[in-house]
Amino acid sequence: LPRPALEHFLRVFGVVPAWFVDPAWARELGYSASCCLPLVTSVFLHGGWLHLISNMWALWIFGDNVEDRMGPVRFLLFYLACGVISGVVHIATNLDSTVPTIGASGAIAGVLGAYLVLFPLARVVVVVPLLFWPFFFELPAMVYLGVWFLMQFFSGTLALAAPQAAGGIAWWAHIGGFAAGILSHRAFLIHRPA
């Protein structure tokens, strides 16, 4: 899309916290602030191929096991619920932001939260580049995801203290999605007879 059309598209279908906080301002600029559709549509938009591939890679690694425990329909509902909750948390922690937020990271963070509770001892293969050689090792999921969460929390706290240092990443959306996954995953599990 041409730049102006792309910007308009992202403002309509991405999550812009200021639209939800100041509906009069949104209407003045020609946007419908009463529509909650961006909380869903933003999950399906990405800022480029690297953004999309990294999100889909994380979903591929962790999502299949969680989907096995929920089934495809419940997993989709769980995924969307985590995406919506992550968007609400992002709005609550960035009330004045006029920057559209897009990406599946918050929904995928919910999948990570469910994975942490359902498979805490599963082994996750991690790669660390040492100079020019990749070094592979395994970690329990609870260690890997615990470190991941602490990195999100540290970065999110830094972003609240110095918003210009956030680097365009919705850290609190990740934290909100992760918490949503931990707290809500049981409602989506398939209850198999013993």
Side-chain angles (χ1 to χ4, degrees):
L1 292 173
R3 187 84 179 161
L6 178 61
E7 288 177 7
H8 178 76
F9 180 83
L10 293 177
R11 290 194 182 281
V12 170
F13 295 107
V15 171
V16 180
W19 295 158
F20 294 91
V21 176
D22 190 353
W25 178 65
R27 276 192 302 278
E28 186 178 303
L29 293 174
Y31 297 101
S32 172
S34 62
C35 178
C36 293
L37 185 64
L39 291 170
V40 175
T41 57
S42 64
V43 173
F44 296 99
L45 301 174
H46 287 81
W49 285 108
L50 181 60
H51 189 203
L52 176 66
I53 290 167
S54 62
N55 274 331
M56 294 305 101
W57 183 45
L59 183 61
W60 178 59
I61 291 171
F62 295 100
D64 63 339
N65 298 97
V66 177
E67 183 185 11
D68 287 344
R69 298 288 303 272
M70 294 181 178
V73 173
R74 288 177 185 221
F75 179 74
L76 176 61
L77 294 174
F78 168 75
Y79 180 83
L80 292 174
C82 289
V84 168
I85 292 168
S86 72
V88 170
V89 171
H90 177 69
I91 292 167
T93 55
N94 295 278
L95 296 173
D96 297 328
S97 177
T98 59
V99 178
T101 302
I102 56 173
S105 303
I108 294 169
V111 173
L112 298 180
Y115 192 94
L116 174 66
V117 177
L118 295 170
F119 309 101
L121 301 178
R123 309 297 284 179
V124 177
V125 177
V126 178
V127 61
V128 175
L130 294 175
L131 297 176
F132 299 105
W133 294 280
F135 177 63
F136 295 90
F137 60 97
E138 291 184 354
L139 287 175
M142 66 181 165
V143 172
Y144 176 82
L145 294 173
V147 169
W148 178 87
F149 177 79
L150 289 175
M151 289 170 48
Q152 305 306 302
F153 187 78
F154 174 76
S155 298
T157 303
L158 180 63
L160 289 178
Q164 67 279 8
I169 297 173
W171 301 108
W172 287 97
H174 298 173
I175 294 165
F178 192 76
I182 289 173
L183 297 173
S184 71
H185 76 280
R186 291 200 189 286
F188 295 91
L189 295 177
I190 294 173
H191 300 288
R192 296 183 172 100

